[in-house]
Amino acid sequence: MSGQLKVAPEHVCPYVLDRMGKPRRELYDAFVAQYQQVNEQLGLKQYLIPYLMSSHPGSDLNAAIELACYLRDTGFYPEQVQDFYPTPGTLSTCMFYTGLDPRTMQPVFVARSPEEKAMQRALMQYRRPQNYFLVREALQKAGRTDLIGFTPKCLIRPYPPKEKKP
């Protein structure tokens, strides 16, 4: 192995994972812990690279904020994230186009506007200075201004980051 194992938890929010047909976050967390333990026992420095997705059917701003908080708490800051794009023949695509979960016929939230999709993506990369205003807008829109401040639990500061001088 190259020292990096790519895994696909894709999200952490239970109702988004249900729509994806994925197991709960606790299973992924248990895998991470076991992987780290085995690496420690073997004296290896190998890393997990999670594949994460924004704007999957079922993911609203609250789910995206939950994912951002999980990333903050685990100390993982993804360089790349994937926006959901419909692909033929999948349940997710059916949910995207109909707004319904075909297994239950219950309504499913679908992020359709470019602004909503951009906010969900920015939340996953909340530390990037260029995402500051989108993250702030998303937190304000979701009523989560408690995540704007100076404590370790906050995602962003109350003011934009200063540009670095060349």
Side-chain angles (χ1 to χ4, degrees):
M1 183 167 110
S2 69
Q4 294 184 351
L5 177 62
K6 294 182 181 181
V7 292
E10 296 184 303
H11 216 284
V12 297
C13 186
Y15 57 89
V16 177
L17 291 168
D18 286 346
R19 300 298 181 262
M20 292 177 164
K22 292 259 185 181
R24 298 276 190 220
R25 160 185 147 183
E26 291 78 15
L27 184 62
Y28 173 71
D29 289 342
F31 174 78
V32 170
Q34 187 174 9
Y35 183 81
Q36 290 171 339
Q37 181 184 14
V38 168
N39 277 291
E40 284 178 29
Q41 290 171 348
L42 298 175
L44 298 173
K45 279 198 149 211
Q46 300 184 110
Y47 302 94
L48 285 176
I49 307 297
Y51 171 86
L52 302 166
M53 184 177 291
S54 65
S55 304
H56 187 278
S59 182
D60 57 12
L61 279 181
N62 291 320
I65 291 167
E66 184 176 338
L67 179 55
C69 290
Y70 178 82
L71 294 171
R72 175 204 61 209
D73 295 346
T74 60
F76 179 72
Y77 304 105
E79 291 181 31
Q80 297 178 333
V81 296
Q82 179 66 47
D83 288 329
F84 173 79
Y85 290 101
T87 55
T90 65
L91 285 174
S92 298
T93 296
C94 181
M95 287 183 243
F96 177 81
Y97 284 110
T98 65
L100 298 171
D101 184 332
R103 299 167 294 189
T104 64
M105 298 309 288
Q106 295 297 310
V108 174
F109 176 82
V110 177
R112 296 195 186 278
S113 75
E115 296 81 17
E116 170 99 15
K117 291 176 80 61
M119 283 189 273
Q120 287 199 34
R121 182 182 182 96
L123 280 160
M124 292 172 65
Q125 296 176 313
Y126 66 88
R127 291 181 62 168
R128 290 189 171 181
Q130 64 266 34
N131 289 341
Y132 176 82
F133 292 103
L134 277 172
V135 171
R136 186 177 71 184
E137 181 183 353
L139 294 173
Q140 289 171 336
K141 187 175 179 180
R144 292 300 311 271
T145 56
D146 59 302
L147 296 172
I148 302 171
F150 297 100
T151 71
K153 290 294 182 185
C154 292
L155 296 177
I156 59 172
R157 303 282 184 241
Y159 49 82
K162 293 181 181 177
E163 290 186 28
K164 293 182 180 179
K165 296 178 183 176

